[in-house]
Amino acid sequence: MLATRTSTARSVQRLARSFATATDSAGVKVAAVDNNQPTASVTVLVKAGTRFQPKVGVANALKNFAFKSTSKRTTIGTVRESELYGGVLSSSLGREHLALTAEFLPADAPFFVDLLTSYVTSAKFTRHEFEEYVTPLVHAETEAAIQDPATRAINAAHALAFRSGLGQPLFASEHSSVSVEDVKAFASQAFSKGNVAVVGTGIDQATLASLVEKGFASAAASSPLSSPATQYFGGETRIDAHGAQTVFIGFGSAGAPSSELSALAAHLSTNSSVKWSQGLSPLASIPGVQTVYLPYSDASLFGLLVQGPTAAAVKESAKAAVAALKSASQNIQADSLQAAIAKAKFSAASAVETREGLVAAIGPKANIFSTDLKHKLNVFYKKVDAAGLSKAASSLFAAKPTYVVVGDAAALPYADELGL
């Protein structure tokens, strides 16, 4: 009986530790989730995505400067010490945030938090490292993006949809003129306490807060970076390129992400719940079509990415996809709506079970979910009904679409040929 009670108490305690509330530590928002997992991770999330960069390519260069020389360690010192501890370091860049992540054994948290915070507080940004390490990485990432038709299409779609801000490219131009002085200037603005949040997994909230307070004691304090409110424009562009013939049919909206658009994306998603089934999506039987839904803090980009071996095949699939989207905007059955809402809820809930999903979900404002996550999801989707979803889908066609072709530009269809 006692063993049962003890086991139940521990289960409740573990559940309580699964959720936390962000705290302020030395002016930095800190949130941690401890599920007693065997490894831990800490991500320093900086509001330094491409929408805030003063010059194309600067944010990408800043990302690739991660884990280089600081006042505490040389680049090779960082690498050797991290390997001695068995940790893994990584950095990633989005349109709104730069993420610096360390994964490690829980006992080694002091070293890795110090390593992360030292980059933010005392990076040297040396010229030789910029020329020898950073610039080649920036060029390699740009080249890889150019060679991937899907990446190229979605990058161009952002530029058409939002122009400035969220429309800024994730990668530098082929002939980038970014200098080390540009990176230093951007870092001096971005690396301040009001612009940073820290998210941890597998580590106690109090422990992480204490380490963060120590690490950021010398950090500058200033207001977060800001950019003008996003507006949606739309447009059409055609890019000649090799590789898979690609068409992106997009629709954007300004403002906070909506539950209706999220449910619509789930309804159209071709990802089946059963791997050997086509699923129930209206697009399931159309070759080469996948949905794209990218919500941001003050805008969303929704669309259909169509790829195929020939321009003719892509045109046929794209026409069918547009027809299916229009049909979905006019008529959706009750059971299909219920399935879409359930799928959207599950996707949102399961995302926070991964480190990347957790950071994406709670990092932007360091507002970690509380024990009523299920309630919050229910509230978010509570008002979604067939009429609201149809209205949201119809409103997409009321604005100018964002249309991009990458491939044989002379043969791929124009937007009006697809009924847009």
Side-chain angles (χ1 to χ4, degrees), residues 238 240 245 310-312 315 405 407-414 417:
R238 309 177 71 79
D240 268 308
Q245 302 299 300
T310 66
K315 181 177 181 179
V405 302
D408 186 351
L412 285 166
Y414 286 84
E417 296 180 72

Side-chain angles (χ1 to χ4, degrees), residues 100-137:
L100 309 167
T101 299
E103 299 172 66
F104 48 86
L105 296 174
D108 300 327
F111 168 76
F112 284 99
V113 173
D114 179 69
L115 188 152
L116 290 170
T117 57
S118 66
Y119 172 62
V120 176
T121 59
S122 65
K124 289 187 174 180
F125 300 113
T126 62
R127 184 177 299 280
H128 76 274
E129 288 182 322
F130 177 74
E131 295 174 351
E132 294 176 16
Y133 301 118
V134 175
T135 299
L137 285 171

Side-chain angles (χ1 to χ4, degrees), residues 62-125:
L62 182 62
K63 184 207 76 166
N64 285 304
F65 248 122
F67 314 119
K68 301 297 185 290
S69 296
T70 68
S71 62
K72 289 189 175 183
R73 299 174 184 86
T74 62
T75 301
I76 194 168
T78 294
V79 173
R80 285 180 174 174
E81 288 186 83
S82 299
E83 289 184 341
L84 285 173
Y85 281 103
V88 177
L89 305 176
S90 61
S91 60
S92 61
L93 178 68
R95 287 186 159 79
E96 297 194 287
H97 296 92
L98 165 65
L100 309 167
T101 299
E103 299 172 66
F104 48 86
L105 296 174
D108 300 327
F111 168 76
F112 284 99
V113 173
D114 179 69
L115 188 152
L116 290 170
T117 57
S118 66
Y119 172 62
V120 176
T121 59
S122 65
K124 289 187 174 180
F125 300 113

Side-chain angles (χ1 to χ4, degrees), residues 24-394:
D24 191 291
S25 182
V28 176
K29 292 293 184 181
V30 179
V33 178
D34 185 6
N35 290 330
N36 284 335
Q37 55 262 57
T39 63
S41 74
V42 171
T43 295
V44 175
L45 203 65
V46 186
K47 196 175 181 182
T50 53
R51 75 176 295 175
F52 304 106
Q53 65 184 0
K55 189 176 184 179
V56 172
V58 173
N60 187 258
L62 182 62
K63 184 207 76 166
N64 285 304
F65 248 122
F67 314 119
K68 301 297 185 290
S69 296
T70 68
S71 62
K72 289 189 175 183
R73 299 174 184 86
T74 62
T75 301
I76 194 168
T78 294
V79 173
R80 285 180 174 174
E81 288 186 83
S82 299
E83 289 184 341
L84 285 173
Y85 281 103
V88 177
L89 305 176
S90 61
S91 60
S92 61
L93 178 68
R95 287 186 159 79
E96 297 194 287
H97 296 92
L98 165 65
L100 309 167
T101 299
E103 299 172 66
F104 48 86
L105 296 174
D108 300 327
F111 168 76
F112 284 99
V113 173
D114 179 69
L115 188 152
L116 290 170
T117 57
S118 66
Y119 172 62
V120 176
T121 59
S122 65
K124 289 187 174 180
F125 300 113
T126 62
R127 184 177 299 280
H128 76 274
E129 288 182 322
F130 177 74
E131 295 174 351
E132 294 176 16
Y133 301 118
V134 175
T135 299
L137 285 171
V138 169
H139 289 165
E141 290 178 350
T142 299
E143 184 63 25
I146 291 173
Q147 297 301 321
D148 182 9
T151 299
R152 199 169 183 182
I154 293 175
N155 206 43
H158 279 81
L160 287 173
F162 306 120
R163 297 184 184 175
S164 60
L166 289 174
Q168 291 250 35
L170 284 175
F171 308 96
S173 62
E174 292 182 77
H175 305 288
S176 175
S177 60
V178 172
S179 67
V180 69
E181 286 75 20
D182 294 328
V183 181
K184 286 181 180 179
F186 184 48
S188 67
Q189 294 179 307
F191 289 167
S192 62
K193 292 180 180 180
N195 218 47
V196 174
V198 179
V199 181
T201 65
I203 183 171
D204 178 71
Q205 172 87 13
T207 300
L208 181 58
S210 176
L211 293 173
V212 168
E213 183 174 4
K214 180 181 178 181
F216 281 103
S218 61
S222 65
S223 301
L225 291 178
S226 61
S227 69
T230 301
Q231 298 181 60
Y232 175 72
F233 298 93
E236 180 172 349
T237 191
R238 309 177 71 79
I239 303 171
D240 268 308
H242 297 291
Q245 302 299 300
T246 303
V247 167
F248 178 76
I249 306 159
F251 307 89
S253 63
S258 71
S259 53
E260 289 83 6
L261 197 56
S262 174
L264 177 63
H267 173 59
L268 295 172
S269 173
T270 54
N271 295 327
S272 172
S273 299
V274 182
K275 66 180 180 180
W276 53 83
S277 168
Q278 279 192 326
L280 302 177
S281 169
L283 307 175
S285 61
I286 305 174
V289 180
Q290 57 180 305
T291 55
V292 175
Y293 176 53
L294 300 170
Y296 298 102
S297 60
D298 63 347
S300 300
L301 182 64
F302 168 79
L304 306 174
L305 185 69
V306 187
Q307 293 188 286
T310 66
V314 168
K315 181 177 181 179
E316 183 177 346
S317 292
K319 287 182 71 173
V322 170
L325 178 57
K326 287 185 174 181
S327 177
S329 70
Q330 297 168 359
N331 182 32
I332 182 170
Q333 302 299 319
D335 56 345
S336 296
L337 175 65
Q338 183 179 358
I341 293 174
K343 192 171 185 177
K345 282 183 179 180
F346 178 81
S347 178
S350 62
V352 298
E353 293 185 358
T354 66
R355 285 169 177 159
E356 297 81 1
L358 182 65
V359 170
I362 69 177
K365 295 183 179 179
N367 290 332
I368 196 162
F369 50 83
S370 59
T371 50
D372 62 350
L373 172 61
K374 180 178 178 181
H375 171 69
K376 288 185 177 182
L377 288 174
N378 287 336
V379 169
F380 185 68
Y381 292 103
K382 183 178 181 180
K383 296 182 179 180
V384 179
D385 54 22
L389 192 145
S390 294
K391 182 179 179 181
S394 298

